[in-house]
Amino acid sequence: MPAVSQRSPQLADQAPLTLSLVEQIAARLSERIVCGDIAPGQRIMEQAVADEFQVSRGPVRESLRLLEKDGLVTILARRGALVTKLSIDEVREIFDIRAMLNGLRDRCIAEDTDRARHLPLLEAEVANLTRLSRNPTQGDAYVETVARLNRTLGQLLRNRRLKAILDSLALQTLRYSQLGLSTPQRRRQSARHWQQLVAAIRTGNGVEAERIARQRVNDSRDAAIARLQESEKLQKQV
């Protein structure tokens, strides 16, 4: 597998203009890591990235440091940047934290006196999730919609510090969420949780919103761990 995909030959044509050059490169690389174009354990070749985006190696190194901060790569002396491997221990750590934070986030939104203004958007997104969950071939679209819905909920928060912490975990969480939502059965279960969350927000039931959020994240955690355990067993059999 090549070090970088050739999907994005011209960086400036695809990255948001509000991002710096370093952030644009990091964003493109993170997309490829999350979707599997750059596999866990694979080395990212600085010169190949620099050549693709027509920049020097300096901005590439800085972008890799951003990815290291996000937990997507590990930078090793004399070996460069390696995409971090998915691990069961990391799943537990990230999702246990995420369950608590998502629970707090969704409780805050449900108890917000201005929540009615946001309901039409949330209801539309969850209706789309429900539709996607009924189609076994729409797994990628479902995961993308969940990620967008989580970003939307974060934007509704009045607590900026909580939003910043959640944002810092987003990329690490997304790789494992893809595992946790990889089956039609799991996506249907997830869609039911999102429907219940909207109902709790509509009625202002913060306690219920928090419970649902934690359950949703924990179910995704358990499913991701199960998939990783299956993968480890297969590797041992080879």
Side-chain angles (χ1 to χ4, degrees), residues 71-171:
L72 295 183
V73 305
T74 300
I75 300 176
L76 303 175
R78 296 183 295 279
R79 294 189 63 191
L82 302 178
V83 176
T84 55
K85 294 183 179 181
L86 304 176
S87 75
I88 291 174
D89 286 343
E90 188 177 55
V91 170
R92 290 196 176 100
E93 289 178 1
I94 292 174
F95 277 73
D96 286 351
I97 295 170
R98 188 89 192 194
M100 299 294 289
L101 295 178
N102 276 17
L104 177 59
R105 178 198 68 187
D106 293 359
R107 180 170 186 159
C108 289
I109 292 171
E111 294 176 350
D112 192 329
T113 56
D114 199 28
R115 65 183 181 278
R117 184 165 63 89
H118 309 305
L119 273 172
L121 174 60
L122 297 179
E123 289 171 339
E125 288 281 31
V126 172
N128 187 36
L129 274 183
T130 302
R131 177 181 59 80
L132 291 171
S133 72
R134 294 171 181 151
N135 188 334
T137 68
Q138 294 297 310
D140 289 344
Y142 188 93
V143 173
E144 290 171 6
T145 305
V146 167
R148 185 173 65 246
L149 186 48
N150 274 308
R151 287 195 299 271
T152 298
L153 288 170
Q155 290 166 359
L156 299 181
L157 275 174
R158 298 181 187 272
N159 188 327
R160 299 295 94 188
R161 293 177 188 270
L162 176 57
K163 179 183 182 302
I165 296 171
L166 285 166
D167 287 346
S168 71
L169 292 172
L171 287 175

Side-chain angles (χ1 to χ4, degrees), residues 177-195:
S177 293
Q178 290 178 316
L179 285 176
L181 294 170
S182 59
T183 66
Q185 179 182 5
R186 269 292 298 129
R187 293 193 289 274
R188 290 192 296 270
Q189 181 187 43
S190 167
R192 289 193 293 272
H193 284 318
W194 283 105
Q195 293 164 5

